[in-house]
Coordinates of all heavy atoms in Angstrom, one line a residue:
T121 N -84.0 152.1 -41.6 CA -83.6 151.5 -40.3 C -82.1 151.0 -40.3 O -81.5 151.0 -41.5 CB -84.4 150.3 -40.0 OG1 -84.1 149.2 -40.9 CG2 -85.9 150.6 -40.0
V122 N -81.6 150.9 -39.2 CA -80.2 150.4 -39.1 C -80.0 149.0 -39.8 O -79.1 148.7 -40.4 CB -79.7 150.3 -37.6 CG1 -79.7 151.7 -37.0 CG2 -80.5 149.4 -36.7
D123 N -81.1 148.2 -39.7 CA -81.0 146.9 -40.4 C -80.9 147.0 -41.9 O -80.2 146.2 -42.6 CB -82.3 146.0 -40.1 CG -82.2 145.5 -38.7 OD1 -81.1 145.4 -38.1 OD2 -83.3 145.1 -38.1
D124 N -81.6 148.1 -42.5 CA -81.5 148.4 -43.9 C -80.1 148.7 -44.3 O -79.5 148.3 -45.2 CB -82.5 149.5 -44.2 CG -83.9 149.1 -44.1 OD1 -84.2 148.0 -44.4 OD2 -84.7 150.1 -43.9
M125 N -79.4 149.6 -43.5 CA -78.1 150.0 -43.7 C -77.1 148.8 -43.6 O -76.2 148.6 -44.5 CB -77.6 151.1 -42.7 CG -78.5 152.4 -42.7 SD -78.7 153.2 -44.3 CE -80.2 152.6 -44.9
H126 N -77.3 148.0 -42.6 CA -76.3 146.8 -42.5 C -76.5 145.9 -43.7 O -75.6 145.3 -44.2 CB -76.7 146.1 -41.2 CG -76.3 146.8 -40.0 ND1 -76.8 146.5 -38.7 CD2 -75.6 148.0 -39.8 CE1 -76.3 147.4 -37.8 NE2 -75.6 148.3 -38.4
A127 N -77.8 145.7 -44.1 CA -78.0 144.8 -45.3 C -77.3 145.3 -46.6 O -76.7 144.6 -47.3 CB -79.5 144.6 -45.5
A128 N -77.5 146.7 -46.8 CA -76.8 147.2 -48.0 C -75.4 147.2 -47.9 O -74.7 146.7 -48.9 CB -77.3 148.7 -48.0
V129 N -74.8 147.5 -46.8 CA -73.3 147.4 -46.6 C -72.8 146.0 -46.7 O -71.8 145.7 -47.4 CB -72.9 147.9 -45.2 CG1 -71.4 147.7 -44.9 CG2 -73.2 149.5 -45.1
G130 N -73.6 145.0 -46.2 CA -73.3 143.6 -46.3 C -73.3 143.0 -47.8 O -72.5 142.2 -48.2
A131 N -74.2 143.8 -48.6 CA -74.3 143.4 -50.0 C -73.2 144.1 -50.8 O -73.1 143.8 -52.0 CB -75.7 143.7 -50.5
G132 N -72.5 144.9 -50.2 CA -71.5 145.7 -50.9 C -72.0 146.8 -51.9 O -71.3 147.2 -52.8
I133 N -73.1 147.3 -51.5 CA -73.7 148.4 -52.3 C -73.8 149.7 -51.5 O -73.5 149.7 -50.3 CB -75.1 148.0 -53.0 CG1 -76.0 147.8 -51.8 CG2 -74.9 146.7 -53.8 CD1 -77.5 147.6 -52.3
I134 N -74.3 150.7 -52.1 CA -74.5 152.1 -51.5 C -75.6 152.0 -50.6 O -76.8 151.7 -50.9 CB -74.6 153.1 -52.5 CG1 -73.4 153.2 -53.4 CG2 -74.8 154.5 -51.9 CD1 -73.6 154.0 -54.7
A135 N -75.4 152.4 -49.3 CA -76.6 152.5 -48.4 C -77.0 154.0 -48.2 O -76.2 154.8 -48.0 CB -76.1 152.0 -46.9
I136 N -78.3 154.2 -48.6 CA -78.9 155.6 -48.4 C -79.9 155.5 -47.4 O -80.9 154.8 -47.5 CB -79.5 156.0 -49.8 CG1 -78.4 156.1 -50.9 CG2 -80.2 157.4 -49.6 CD1 -78.9 156.5 -52.2
G137 N -79.7 156.3 -46.3 CA -80.8 156.4 -45.3 C -81.9 157.4 -45.6 O -81.7 158.3 -46.4
F138 N -83.1 157.0 -45.2 CA -84.3 157.8 -45.5 C -85.0 158.1 -44.2 O -85.2 157.1 -43.4 CB -85.2 157.1 -46.4 CG -86.4 157.9 -46.9 CD1 -86.2 158.6 -48.1 CD2 -87.5 158.0 -46.3 CE1 -87.3 159.4 -48.6 CE2 -88.6 158.8 -46.7 CZ -88.5 159.5 -47.9
V139 N -85.3 159.3 -43.8 CA -86.0 159.6 -42.6 C -87.5 160.1 -43.0 O -87.6 161.1 -43.6 CB -85.4 160.8 -41.9 CG1 -86.1 161.0 -40.5 CG2 -83.9 160.4 -41.6
P140 N -88.5 159.2 -42.7 CA -89.8 159.5 -42.9 C -90.3 160.7 -42.1 O -89.6 161.1 -41.0 CB -90.6 158.2 -42.6 CG -89.8 157.6 -41.6 CD -88.3 157.9 -42.0
P141 N -91.3 161.4 -42.4 CA -91.7 162.7 -41.7 C -92.2 162.4 -40.3 O -92.3 163.4 -39.5 CB -92.9 163.2 -42.5 CG -93.4 162.0 -43.4 CD -92.2 161.1 -43.6
Y142 N -92.5 161.2 -39.8 CA -93.0 161.0 -38.6 C -91.8 160.6 -37.6 O -92.1 160.3 -36.4 CB -94.0 159.9 -38.5 CG -93.7 158.6 -39.2 CD1 -92.9 157.6 -38.6 CD2 -94.1 158.4 -40.5 CE1 -92.6 156.5 -39.4 CE2 -93.9 157.3 -41.3 CZ -93.1 156.3 -40.6 OH -92.8 155.2 -41.4
L143 N -90.6 160.7 -38.0 CA -89.5 160.5 -37.1 C -88.7 161.8 -37.0 O -88.7 162.6 -37.8 CB -88.6 159.4 -37.6 CG -89.2 158.0 -37.7 CD1 -88.2 156.9 -38.1 CD2 -89.8 157.6 -36.3
E144 N -87.9 161.8 -35.9 CA -87.1 163.0 -35.6 C -85.8 163.0 -36.5 O -85.0 162.1 -36.4 CB -86.6 163.0 -34.1 CG -86.3 164.3 -33.6 CD -84.9 164.7 -33.9 OE1 -84.0 163.9 -33.6 OE2 -84.6 165.8 -34.5
A145 N -85.7 164.0 -37.3 CA -84.7 164.0 -38.4 C -83.3 163.9 -38.0 O -82.5 163.1 -38.5 CB -85.0 165.1 -39.4
D146 N -82.9 164.8 -37.0 CA -81.5 164.9 -36.6 C -81.1 163.6 -36.0 O -80.0 163.1 -36.3 CB -81.3 166.1 -35.6 CG -81.4 167.4 -36.4 OD1 -81.4 167.4 -37.6 OD2 -81.7 168.4 -35.6
R147 N -81.9 163.1 -35.1 CA -81.4 161.9 -34.4 C -81.3 160.7 -35.3 O -80.4 159.9 -35.3 CB -82.5 161.5 -33.3 CG -82.2 160.3 -32.5 CD -83.3 159.9 -31.5 NE -82.9 158.7 -30.8 CZ -83.8 158.0 -30.0 NH1 -85.0 158.4 -29.9 NH2 -83.4 157.0 -29.4
Q148 N -82.3 160.5 -36.2 CA -82.3 159.4 -37.2 C -81.1 159.5 -38.2 O -80.5 158.6 -38.6 CB -83.6 159.3 -37.9 CG -84.8 158.8 -37.0 CD -84.5 157.5 -36.2 OE1 -84.4 157.5 -35.0 NE2 -84.4 156.4 -37.0
T149 N -80.9 160.8 -38.6 CA -79.8 161.0 -39.5 C -78.5 160.6 -38.9 O -77.7 159.8 -39.5 CB -79.7 162.5 -40.0 OG1 -80.9 162.9 -40.6 CG2 -78.5 162.7 -40.8
E150 N -78.2 160.9 -37.7 CA -77.0 160.6 -37.0 C -76.8 159.0 -36.8 O -75.8 158.5 -37.0 CB -76.9 161.3 -35.7 CG -75.6 161.0 -34.9 CD -75.6 161.7 -33.5 OE1 -76.6 162.4 -33.2 OE2 -74.6 161.5 -32.8
L151 N -78.0 158.4 -36.5 CA -78.0 157.0 -36.3 C -77.7 156.2 -37.6 O -76.9 155.4 -37.6 CB -79.4 156.6 -35.8 CG -79.7 155.1 -35.5 CD1 -78.9 154.7 -34.3 CD2 -81.1 154.7 -35.6
L152 N -78.4 156.7 -38.6 CA -78.1 156.0 -39.9 C -76.7 156.2 -40.5 O -76.2 155.2 -41.0 CB -79.2 156.3 -40.9 CG -80.7 156.0 -40.6 CD1 -81.7 156.6 -41.5 CD2 -80.9 154.5 -40.4
L153 N -76.3 157.4 -40.4 CA -74.9 157.6 -40.8 C -73.9 156.7 -39.9 O -72.9 156.2 -40.5 CB -74.5 159.1 -40.6 CG -75.2 160.0 -41.6 CD1 -74.9 161.5 -41.2 CD2 -74.7 159.7 -43.0
G154 N -74.2 156.6 -38.7 CA -73.4 155.7 -37.8 C -73.4 154.3 -38.1 O -72.6 153.5 -37.6
H155 N -74.4 153.8 -38.9 CA -74.5 152.4 -39.2 C -74.3 152.1 -40.7 O -74.8 151.1 -41.3 CB -75.9 151.9 -38.8 CG -76.0 151.7 -37.4 ND1 -75.7 150.5 -36.7 CD2 -76.3 152.5 -36.3 CE1 -75.9 150.6 -35.4 NE2 -76.2 151.8 -35.1
G156 N -73.6 153.0 -41.4 CA -73.1 152.7 -42.7 C -73.8 153.5 -43.8 O -73.4 153.3 -45.0
A157 N -74.7 154.4 -43.5 CA -75.3 155.2 -44.6 C -74.3 156.2 -45.2 O -73.5 156.8 -44.5 CB -76.5 156.0 -44.1
E158 N -74.2 156.3 -46.5 CA -73.3 157.2 -47.2 C -73.9 158.6 -47.2 O -73.2 159.6 -47.3 CB -73.0 156.7 -48.6 CG -72.1 155.4 -48.6 CD -71.5 155.2 -49.9 OE1 -71.3 156.1 -50.7 OE2 -71.1 154.0 -50.1
C159 N -75.3 158.6 -47.2 CA -76.0 159.9 -47.0 C -77.3 159.6 -46.4 O -77.8 158.5 -46.4 CB -76.0 160.7 -48.3 SG -77.0 159.8 -49.6
V160 N -78.0 160.6 -46.0 CA -79.4 160.5 -45.4 C -80.2 161.5 -46.0 O -79.8 162.7 -46.0 CB -79.4 160.5 -43.9 CG1 -80.8 160.4 -43.3 CG2 -78.5 159.4 -43.3
I161 N -81.4 161.1 -46.5 CA -82.3 162.0 -47.1 C -83.6 161.9 -46.5 O -83.9 161.0 -45.8 CB -82.4 161.7 -48.7 CG1 -83.0 160.3 -48.9 CG2 -81.1 161.9 -49.4 CD1 -83.2 159.9 -50.3
S162 N -84.5 162.9 -46.8 CA -85.9 162.9 -46.3 C -86.9 163.2 -47.4 O -88.1 163.5 -47.0 CB -86.0 163.8 -45.1 OG -85.7 165.1 -45.4
S163 N -86.5 163.3 -48.6 CA -87.4 163.6 -49.7 C -86.9 162.9 -51.0 O -85.8 162.5 -51.2 CB -87.4 165.1 -49.9 OG -86.2 165.6 -50.6

C-alpha cells in the first residue's frame, strides 16, 4: 500500500512495493512507484 511506502521512506530505508495476485498489476505498480517505491515486485 501507499502507507507502507510512506512509512519506509519516512524511516529512511528502501521501499519495495508488492502487488498481490488479486490486484491489477500495472495500476498498482504505477501507484506504488509514485509514492516512493524503489521497485515493485509480484513474486
Side-chain angles (χ1 to χ4, degrees):
T121 69
V122 298
D123 285 342
D124 292 329
M125 301 302 98
H126 293 166
V129 171
I133 65 173
I134 300 164
I136 298 177
F138 189 93
V139 181
Y142 48 86
L143 296 183
E144 201 278 308
D146 289 344
R147 180 184 180 192
Q148 292 304 117
T149 296
E150 182 179 0
L151 178 76
L152 296 175
L153 288 172
H155 285 269
E158 294 199 19
C159 63
V160 178
I161 60 176
S162 59
S163 73

